[in-house]
Amino acid sequence: MPLSSLSWLLFSLASPWQLSPSLHYQTTCLNFKELIHIFNRNINFQELLGALRSEQLNWGFLLSCASTHQSWDFSCPGGGCKEDVCALLVQACQLVHLDQEHLVSKVCQLIHHSLNRFQVMVDEQNLNFLLSYCISALKQCSSWTHVEILQALAALVYNNGPKCQKYLADLLGKTGLLVQFSDAAQPDVELRRAAVRSMANLCLSVPGQPYLDEPYRNVCFQTFLSVLQSSKASDVDDITFCMLLQNALKGIQSLLNGGKMKLMQTDQIGALLAVLKKCMFHGLPGLSIEMPAALYPAPLPQYDKRSPVKQEQLETATLKQTGNRRKKSKGKQKKGEFGEEGREDLAENESALGADMLKLRLGDVQNSPYSGPRSHASDVAYVPAGKDHSSSHCASWKRISSSESEYSDAEGGMQSKMRSYQANVRQGALACFLSAIKSIEKRVLYGYWSAFVPDAPGIGSPQSVSLMTIALKDPSPKTRACALQVLSAILEGSKQFLSVAEDANDHKRAFTPFSVTMASSIRELHRCLLLALVAESSSQTLTQIVKCLANLVSNAPYSRLKPGLLTRVWNQIKPYVCHKDVNVRVSSLTLLGAIVSVQAPLPEVQLLLQQPGSSGLNNSGSTTPHRFNSSEQWRKALRSEGEPPDNPAGCTSSEPCWLLRLCVSIIVLPREDSCSDSDANFPSFSSVYEPCPLRLESLQVLALLVKGYFSMAQSYFLELGEVACRCMEEMDPSIQLHGAKLLEELGTGVLQQYKPDSTVAPDQRVPVSVVVTFWTMMLNGPLPGTLQNSPHATLQTSACDALSSILPEAFSSLQNDQQVLCVTLLLGLNHSENPLVKAAAARALGVYILFSCLRQDVMFVADTANAILNSLHDKSPNVRAKAAWSLGNLTDTLIINMETMGQSFQEEFSDLLLLKMLRSATEASKDRDKVKSNAVRALGNVLHFLQPYHIANPRFREAIEESLQALISTVQSEATMKVRWNACYALGNVFKNPALPLGEAPWTTQAYSALSSVVKSCKNFKVRIKSAMALSIPSKRECYGSTEQFCQIWRALVVALQKSEDTEDFLEFKYSASLRTQICQALLHLLSLAKSTDLPVIWETVTENGDAIKSYVLQYLKSGAEENEGGMHTDLCERERVLKGAVEHLGGIEKQLEGKARVRVSVYLEDVLTSHASAAELTEA
């Protein structure tokens, strides 16, 4: 109906509105309800605005319409644009003067409802006007209007905090309006609540915009904290008090999230955690606690006083709930029950309690194209996924299983509404606690561990309330899920803190050590979470329980605890892998993956993996039909496309591992059961196979199983290879990706078995013939196509990593065309434009260059060198780091070939390419540390490889000088210890090249000076050891240069020997013995090369420090067989032989002097030998 057709109605309203506002208010409500209804349903907003501006329509009538809470359609083009809403609000404020308090109230209602209902964001100019109006109204109007004005103010400042900077003094200053109205002395609780809500909205952050200044943040924080610490007055109804608490909690959460507020002060942290713990239990049926004003870090549970409520009443209330919570909710929450809070409440709840609900990722499952955000447990209408098999056995004190999420108005009226609000307070406190966890350093947070994590109760004492109390007893599944989410956040990253726990040995002491207390807490956590698992029927909450268990398992030190905990978790979770809800099944697999990956291999887990497959699968009433009973069904599925070769003896088993068989069945077998409700989130071919997230998680568990327990998985080596093949043949890139990762783990497992230091007996390893069959299947299958699948760079990267995990012995046994295929693919991928792919290809080439069948091929070495040097100049730091590592391996190959093939390889290798490698490595040594550490290693190898004709070549001369200066400067730099260690190692390699003018060139003095400085003063003992080793490498006295240079090295080593126990870092002390051994070897090496001109300085140091040197040398001789840093074994006889050789050498020199100098170093060394022999005789006697 157009506005013109209503003109007679509108003009008829003009006369009454000339009367007093109070009289019109009465007549409007009684006489014009029908007109208002017609007006609201047929309004054209742009005509309305025009009529108002031309004064055809009275403002009083419009404001009366606004007070009826009807919804106007302001959408364009029929109703009007949101800019017109702002214009309307400004027009209203301009026409309604502050002395017309009734109309001021109505204008504020219009502002509140318009902004909240229509999601209107006010521009800065109009915002300034409207805020000024509201602030002036608060200062001038009567107190009865303040609630409506504050509601309008809250709507205006919502998400507009950065635009309100110039009004902060009026609102949050010492005498600010919001500070006054939110004061604890404020008698009107509605007014206080409205002020707190405005303050909370003001604390919301806007990305990219400045936040509140520190003083204002502190004012808000203290205000919110004061509200949460206050008790409910007797004249305040429960719902209003709950809403007050909700607003304060929301405000603190905004400060912690948006303001990036870091809680550092102990009293501030303690006060906040105390009120959060209090609010976490607000209105929880059967429980009422009183908290101290602040919590303090303590190893034991702190005092939380139970209110003096009769125990019989609490037990009765709990028993009554038992019956109620078994009933299904009969209706949704009534519209408008939370409507007053408006859009900011809805948005805040969604972000705080929804976005973080999936914080615990299920590996890469959440990133799959079929896994989107899912709905969480609703407190109002929850339909159970199925009844748990053992819920009827739970005692009445346990949290009753959640057959419904909340109480509807039909069941309890105001009481159910109050309980709903109380549940919202508990959820708000938990969401705020989650934000607080992110704002507190973990080492500080763990000081309050005992206040929130359960501990085993003492004899005769009740258990302290904790997060598990909520998880077990709260009637709301959403609240229980929030509590579990908070507990998961506390457990996340707690491995170092929990590592002190230990109860493997029986505790028999007069006191309880902290390690035993922590072990008790971990055991109690296991008990409570498993109890919650049995009692829970809400699928969403059940998922959170399993995720929390997975976090606990990932961080607990089971090797220090008595066995049995993982067995209980394993047996309890097995039925849930067949649960009707897909999310529960996925999280159950995540938990099983955590079990097989934690501190692998654990003997307890090995026994669990060997259990019969049927154990524990028939106990759940909420499961899908069992498809995993046939031990051969999954094998048949794999063989359907062709029989793989039979495994040889030692690679088969009569009873497959249950977990392995389960995962393979989920991955390769078609589904046989009907879809559950949660399957709707996972479209595509879910009707054929299991849902994609379930298959992805199964692949991840398989990869973890292969990684941690390869000896068990190797029995199905070829079958698992076929699983990887089939996954890489699918169309879903995420399935292909995880198939490639499984392939990489299989290859890595074989590599570990064939390492030189492997403890696996040769007859227990996967035979090379089987490995050849495995890789032949891969190369004839989807792997080459996957490597060329350019649209999916991550998949290419994973496939590249998998190809680099091939066993060298197996590679050499592959057919020639397959070897060529591998090399060709990697060389081609090295030119990829994607940095991830290019980095993976560069690394794979660095692996292949070490293969014995390839490294002797000069053409392959040259092609690989050119490809690596190309990557070494890439703009991506990651590509350069991988290329530098590969260049180090390539130069290692040059040294190996030089030693094994002689000059034939050196002559065939291109001089131009060698020069290019030298220059590129020199340039890379100036890059960041990750590149530099391998670049200096490569420099040392290349300089070692150079031949006399290279050094004489003018083109090489400048490059050699630059590379040596780069090495020397790196040794002296403040780079990371790994870089300096590699630089010292590289200089040692340089000293091995007899073609270099060592001892004559100017750089020799600089190199020795740098190493001498490091061996005396470097904080890292491993770097000192490597520098001492480098100083002992030159084999001739001439290589050490002048007498002055030789004596400088000698003095540095003597000083280093005396400082070998001086360290500020206790962790370095364990290397002091190795350091002394290496320095003593270097000193004896110098003595065996010394000239007559060196003896005076040597004798001087012996005279000054003879006793100290003697004690260290005797200790060196006594230490016997020992492996030094270089991996060389020197036994007792060898050490004595070196010392005797030095005595003979020095004795001959001293004899030649014929008394010209009173130097008797040989006599000193003979005395050392005599003392050693006497000590050895005493030991034998």
Side-chain angles (χ1 to χ4, degrees):
M1 183 185 299
L3 191 64
S4 57
S5 61
L6 291 174
S7 58
W8 65 274
L9 293 173
L10 301 179
F11 287 120
S12 67
L13 289 171
S15 180
W17 274 99
Q18 303 304 319
L19 304 176
S20 66
S22 59
L23 178 59
H24 170 73
Y25 178 77
Q26 298 173 13
T27 57
T28 300
C29 295
L30 293 175
N31 302 326
F32 301 111
K33 285 184 179 180
E34 182 65 24
L35 177 60
I36 291 171
H37 179 69
I38 297 172
F39 184 87
N40 280 323
R41 288 178 60 86
N42 297 277
I43 186 169
N44 182 295
F45 188 79
Q46 292 176 339
E47 291 187 16
L48 169 64
L49 187 59
L52 291 171
R53 287 173 175 169
S54 61
E55 298 186 358
Q56 291 181 354
L57 179 60
N58 207 299
W59 276 105
F61 177 74
L62 173 65
L63 298 177
S64 184
C65 292
S67 67
T68 62
H69 294 233
Q70 297 291 333
S71 292
W72 292 350
D73 180 17
F74 288 161
S75 59
C76 295
C81 294
K82 293 184 178 181
E83 291 78 5
D84 294 334
V85 178
C86 298
L88 170 68
L89 299 178
V90 170
Q91 186 81 6
C93 293
Q94 289 173 342
L95 295 178
V96 175
H97 300 290
L98 296 179
D99 55 354
Q100 299 175 292
E101 293 186 349
H102 180 76
L103 292 183
V104 169
S105 173
K106 294 297 181 182
V107 165
C108 290
Q109 287 182 30
L110 180 64
I111 294 173
H112 175 216
H113 294 307
S114 299
L115 298 184
N116 278 346
R117 289 170 183 253
F118 310 126
Q119 303 291 304
V120 176
M121 296 303 297
V122 186
D123 61 277
E124 190 166 359
Q125 180 180 355
N126 289 329
L127 179 66
N128 288 333
F129 178 83
L130 294 173
L131 281 176
S132 299
Y133 183 85
C134 290
I135 292 173
S136 300
L138 285 172
K139 293 178 179 179
Q140 298 181 31
C141 295
S142 303
S143 58
W144 70 269
T145 64
H146 287 175
V147 172
E148 285 80 7
I149 298 173
L150 286 172
Q151 288 178 347
L153 183 67
L156 286 169
V157 301
Y158 181 79
N159 270 344
N160 285 318
K163 302 176 184 176
C164 304
Q165 296 294 323
K166 61 183 179 181
Y167 301 102
L168 293 179
D170 290 330
L171 297 173
L172 301 177
K174 289 186 178 180
T175 59
L177 295 170
L178 297 182
V179 175
Q180 294 179 26
F181 293 141
S182 60
D183 189 79
Q186 174 59 243
D188 187 348
V189 69
E190 282 290 350
L191 183 60
R192 187 184 185 195
R193 186 183 73 81
V196 170
R197 183 179 171 214
S198 297
M199 192 179 291
N201 286 357
L202 199 56
C203 292
L204 288 170
S205 67
V206 178
Q209 297 292 324
Y211 197 63
L212 291 177
D213 293 335
E214 186 69 23
Y216 294 129
R217 272 186 276 180
N218 291 333
V219 167
C220 294
F221 182 80
Q222 291 302 324
T223 299
F224 299 142
L225 200 61
S226 174
V227 170
L228 296 174
Q229 289 172 336
S230 63
S231 301
K232 186 178 80 72
S234 57
D235 59 338
V236 177
D237 67 278
D238 290 322
I239 292 180
T240 301
F241 186 66
C242 286
M243 295 170 72
L244 175 64
L245 295 179
Q246 278 183 269
N247 289 324
L249 289 167
K250 199 179 302 177
I252 289 184
Q253 188 178 4
S254 296
L255 286 173
L256 296 175
N257 288 346
K260 307 298 182 187
M261 186 176 181
K262 292 296 180 184
L263 300 173
M264 304 297 292
Q265 301 175 5
T266 303
D267 55 346
Q268 190 182 48
I269 296 173
L272 176 60
L273 294 182
V275 296
L276 289 180
K277 185 170 183 180
K278 175 184 174 183
C279 292
M280 279 162 40
F281 297 98
H282 181 78
L284 184 63
L287 183 67
S288 180
I289 63 171
E290 294 180 8
M291 291 297 300
L295 295 176
Y296 297 96
L300 296 176
Q302 298 178 50
Y303 176 74
D304 43 276
K305 181 181 177 183
R306 306 288 178 99
S307 294
V309 182
K310 291 183 179 180
Q311 190 65 25
E312 294 81 2
Q313 294 177 352
L314 297 180
E315 291 178 356
T316 302
T318 304
L319 288 173
K320 285 182 178 179
Q321 273 189 14
T322 305
N324 290 340
R325 292 190 51 209
R326 288 294 180 185
K327 300 175 183 178
K328 186 184 291 187
S329 176
K330 295 183 180 179
K332 294 185 178 180
Q333 188 177 19
K334 287 188 175 180
K335 181 180 179 181
E337 185 172 322
F338 303 101
E340 187 183 355
E341 297 301 320
R343 57 174 177 158
E344 55 264 32
D345 290 350
L346 295 174
E348 196 70 17
N349 286 339
E350 286 296 322
S351 61
L353 300 175
D356 283 339
M357 192 61 78
L358 297 180
K359 174 70 165 55
L360 293 176
R361 300 188 321 120
L362 301 178
D364 291 333
V365 171
Q366 299 299 335
N367 297 326
S368 73
Y370 303 111
S371 61
R374 61 174 181 266
S375 59
H376 307 301
S378 170
D379 284 351
V380 181
Y382 167 71
V383 180
K387 296 181 180 179
D388 194 273
H389 68 282
S390 56
S391 60
S392 60
H393 300 294
C394 298
S396 61
W397 63 270
K398 293 183 191 174
R399 190 249 334 121
I400 309 102
S401 66
S402 54
S403 294
E404 89 276 345
S405 335
E406 276 301 347
Y407 303 87
S408 67
D409 287 345
E411 291 175 316
M414 288 301 297
Q415 184 182 13
S416 66
K417 184 178 180 181
M418 179 191 71
R419 289 176 178 170
S420 179
Y421 275 94
Q422 289 173 339
N424 286 339
V425 171
R426 297 196 294 274
Q427 293 163 22
L430 290 165
C432 191
F433 191 10
L434 193 62
S435 299
I437 291 172
K438 301 172 184 176
S439 304
I440 303 174
E441 287 187 48
K442 279 297 180 75
R443 62 181 182 84
V444 176
L445 176 67
Y446 291 140
Y448 302 90
W449 173 274
S450 59
F452 299 98
V453 180
D455 188 16
I459 300 175
S461 61
Q463 189 175 37
S464 60
V465 293
S466 66
L467 288 166
M468 282 310 307
T469 308
I470 303 173
L472 286 166
K473 297 186 178 182
D474 199 290
S476 164
K478 187 173 183 179
T479 309
R480 297 196 299 272
C482 288
L484 291 161
Q485 187 183 359
V486 172
L487 182 57
S488 289
I490 294 175
L491 290 171
E492 188 176 1
S494 62
K495 183 175 292 185
Q496 185 176 0
F497 173 67
L498 296 182
S499 64
V500 302
E502 183 175 17
D503 70 348
N505 301 319
D506 291 334
H507 164 63
K508 295 180 180 178
R509 300 180 189 174
F511 66 95
T512 304
F514 181 65
S515 60
V516 175
T517 301
M518 288 306 304
S520 173
S521 180
I522 291 174
R523 289 189 172 276
E524 184 64 12
L525 263 177
H526 280 79
R527 188 187 72 85
C528 291
L529 285 170
L530 291 177
L531 194 64
L533 184 70
V534 171
E536 188 60 64
S537 62
S538 163
S539 295
Q540 290 84 354
T541 309
L542 195 59
T543 302
Q544 289 297 325
I545 295 173
V546 181
K547 288 180 181 179
C548 195
L549 270 170
N551 239 345
L552 174 60
V553 168
S554 298
N555 291 282
Y558 292 101
S559 58
R560 297 167 57 92
L561 303 175
K562 291 180 180 178
L565 287 177
L566 287 175
T567 301
R568 286 193 283 275
V569 175
W570 179 276
N571 292 332
Q572 287 275 60
I573 201 61
K574 283 176 80 172
Y576 291 92
V577 298
C578 300
H579 197 276
K580 288 183 178 180
D581 189 275
V582 173
N583 295 318
V584 175
R585 297 174 68 190
V586 171
S587 57
S588 300
L589 284 170
T590 303
L591 175 54
L592 290 170
I595 292 175
V596 298
S597 63
V598 62
Q599 301 163 34
L602 283 176
E604 183 180 358
V605 178
Q606 286 180 324
L607 291 174
L608 291 172
L609 291 171
Q610 294 168 1
Q611 284 182 354
S614 58
S615 173
L617 278 177
N618 300 320
N619 300 326
S620 176
S622 301
T623 61
T624 57
H626 302 306
R627 307 187 300 112
F628 315 117
N629 293 332
S630 170
S631 62
E632 290 299 319
Q633 188 176 4
W634 62 282
R635 287 183 186 269
K636 292 177 182 177
L638 289 175
R639 295 173 184 172
S640 61
E641 298 180 6
E643 289 281 337
D646 292 336
N647 284 353
C651 287
T652 58
S653 174
S654 58
E655 177 65 25
C657 167
W658 167 80
L659 182 58
L660 186 147
R661 179 163 53 88
L662 169 69
C663 293
V664 173
S665 300
I666 292 174
I667 296 165
V668 303
L669 291 182
R671 64 186 306 170
E672 297 178 1
D673 59 311
S674 57
C675 298
S676 67
D677 293 339
S678 59
D679 291 354
N681 296 328
F682 313 116
S684 80
F685 48 86
S686 58
S687 58
V688 178
Y689 288 108
E690 294 286 355
C692 185
L694 195 62
R695 302 178 73 212
L696 290 174
E697 195 63 33
S698 298
L699 279 167
Q700 291 187 76
V701 174
L702 267 186
L704 292 172
L705 181 62
V706 170
K707 182 178 181 180
Y709 300 88
F710 184 77
S711 59
M712 183 167 295
Q714 75 179 69
S715 300
Y716 318 101
F717 187 67
L718 292 179
E719 285 90 340
L720 290 175
E722 191 168 353
V723 170
C725 264
R726 291 186 58 166
C727 289
M728 287 190 289
E729 288 171 349
E730 292 196 15
M731 299 300 295
D732 186 349
S734 58
I735 297 290
Q736 290 177 305
L737 174 64
H738 285 79
K741 289 183 176 180
L742 174 60
L743 173 59
E744 181 186 359
E745 292 297 344
L746 288 167
T748 304
V750 175
L751 284 175
Q752 296 294 329
Q753 285 190 338
Y754 280 85
K755 275 190 172 181
D757 57 350
S758 173
T759 58
V760 181
D763 60 338
Q764 297 297 318
R765 299 172 181 173
V766 179
V768 175
S769 59
V770 175
V771 182
V772 172
T773 302
F774 175 87
W775 283 106
T776 300
M777 176 172 61
M778 295 300 153
L779 293 172
N780 290 335
L783 186 56
T786 304
L787 284 165
Q788 299 174 51
N789 192 354
S790 55
H792 301 287
T794 308
L795 178 57
Q796 277 185 297
T797 302
S798 241
C800 220
D801 292 337
L803 192 60
S804 68
S805 66
I806 187 171
L807 183 70
E809 293 87 340
F811 183 87
S812 61
S813 300
L814 290 174
Q815 295 179 5
N816 185 61
D817 60 337
Q818 291 176 331
Q819 293 182 5
V820 172
L821 174 64
C822 293
V823 172
T824 304
L825 286 170
L826 292 179
L827 289 173
L829 289 174
N830 196 75
H831 297 284
S832 172
E833 295 181 358
N834 187 283
L836 291 176
V837 178
K838 193 170 184 177
R843 180 191 170 276
L845 287 172
V847 173
Y848 276 46
I849 198 65
L850 296 176
F851 289 0
S852 58
C853 62
L854 292 177
R855 69 180 179 220
Q856 296 178 1
D857 185 343
V858 178
M859 294 303 298
F860 171 74
V861 174
D863 289 342
T864 302
N866 283 313
I868 291 173
L869 293 177
N870 172 61
S871 296
L872 197 60
H873 296 92
D874 195 85
K875 61 181 181 181
S876 167
N878 185 43
V879 174
R880 296 199 304 274
K882 299 295 185 184
W885 179 82
S886 295
L887 182 62
N889 286 3
L890 174 64
T891 55
D892 286 342
T893 294
L894 296 182
I895 301 301
I896 295 172
N897 288 343
M898 179 181 70
E899 295 172 351
T900 58
M901 301 174 63
Q903 288 193 347
S904 61
F905 180 85
Q906 292 170 303
E907 292 173 356
E908 288 184 41
F909 196 78
S910 167
D911 292 350
L912 187 61
L913 181 57
L914 191 64
L915 179 61
K916 186 178 179 182
M917 290 170 61
L918 188 62
R919 288 173 174 168
S920 296
T922 303
E923 188 66 27
S925 67
K926 303 171 186 177
D927 206 330
R928 58 183 63 194
D929 284 352
K930 286 187 177 181
V931 179
K932 186 184 297 184
S933 61
N934 285 296
V936 294
R937 176 166 71 100
L939 275 179
N941 285 331
V942 174
L943 290 170
H944 183 193
F945 182 80
L946 293 177
Q947 298 304 301
Y949 65 87
H950 293 135
I951 297 170
N953 190 329
R955 292 192 301 173
F956 275 85
R957 195 170 301 155
E958 182 181 354
I960 292 172
E961 182 66 27
E962 288 180 2
S963 60
L964 286 166
Q965 292 300 325
L967 284 179
I968 294 168
S969 62
T970 305
V971 170
Q972 297 173 322
S973 70
E974 295 299 323
T976 60
M977 296 308 167
K978 181 179 179 181
V979 173
R980 299 181 72 184
W981 187 96
N982 275 335
C984 292
Y985 172 82
L987 276 180
N989 268 342
V990 173
F991 295 164
K992 293 178 182 178
N993 191 343
L996 289 171
L998 190 61
E1000 302 173 2
W1003 57 263
T1004 303
T1005 302
Q1006 297 173 317
Y1008 284 136
S1009 176
L1011 292 171
S1012 299
S1013 174
V1014 168
V1015 80
K1016 291 187 296 184
S1017 58
C1018 184
K1019 295 180 180 179
N1020 187 281
F1021 276 19
K1022 296 181 77 173
V1023 176
R1024 288 198 204 183
I1025 292 169
K1026 190 54 66 176
S1027 62
M1029 184 179 295
L1031 288 171
S1032 65
I1033 284 177
S1035 58
K1036 297 179 181 179
R1037 171 61 186 83
E1038 294 77 13
C1039 295
Y1040 285 100
S1042 65
T1043 298
E1044 182 183 358
Q1045 180 66 58
F1046 182 89
C1047 294
Q1048 180 186 352
I1049 297 171
W1050 169 266
R1051 289 195 187 99
L1053 288 171
V1054 171
V1055 173
L1057 186 63
Q1058 293 174 311
K1059 290 184 175 182
S1060 60
E1061 295 180 356
D1062 299 343
T1063 177
E1064 299 176 358
D1065 188 354
F1066 180 76
L1067 296 176
E1068 295 297 326
F1069 190 75
K1070 61 184 178 181
Y1071 301 111
S1072 59
S1074 297
L1075 176 60
R1076 286 192 296 272
T1077 297
Q1078 191 60 55
I1079 293 175
C1080 286
Q1081 288 178 0
L1083 287 172
L1084 293 178
H1085 177 71
L1086 290 179
L1087 288 173
S1088 66
L1089 298 177
K1091 299 189 304 185
S1092 58
T1093 54
D1094 305 326
L1095 294 184
V1097 175
I1098 294 175
W1099 177 247
E1100 180 184 347
T1101 56
V1102 167
T1103 304
E1104 294 174 358
N1105 308 289
D1107 293 339
I1109 296 174
K1110 180 179 179 180
S1111 65
Y1112 285 124
V1113 174
L1114 285 173
Q1115 185 179 357
Y1116 164 72
L1117 294 173
K1118 183 182 177 182
S1119 59
E1122 181 179 328
E1123 184 178 358
N1124 63 20
E1125 179 71 13
M1128 301 292 293
H1129 290 276
T1130 56
D1131 57 21
L1132 182 60
C1133 296
E1134 174 66 18
R1135 296 181 181 188
E1136 289 181 2
R1137 188 190 63 77
V1138 173
L1139 180 55
K1140 289 177 181 178
V1143 171
E1144 293 176 1
H1145 172 72
L1146 293 174
I1149 294 176
E1150 291 169 355
K1151 188 176 180 179
Q1152 291 176 2
L1153 292 176
E1154 297 178 351
K1156 294 179 182 178
R1158 298 179 180 178
V1159 177
R1160 294 291 182 268
V1161 179
S1162 61
V1163 176
Y1164 171 80
L1165 294 178
E1166 287 175 351
D1167 180 56
V1168 173
L1169 269 175
T1170 304
S1171 299
H1172 171 65
S1174 300
E1177 290 176 1
L1178 289 174
T1179 303
E1180 292 175 1

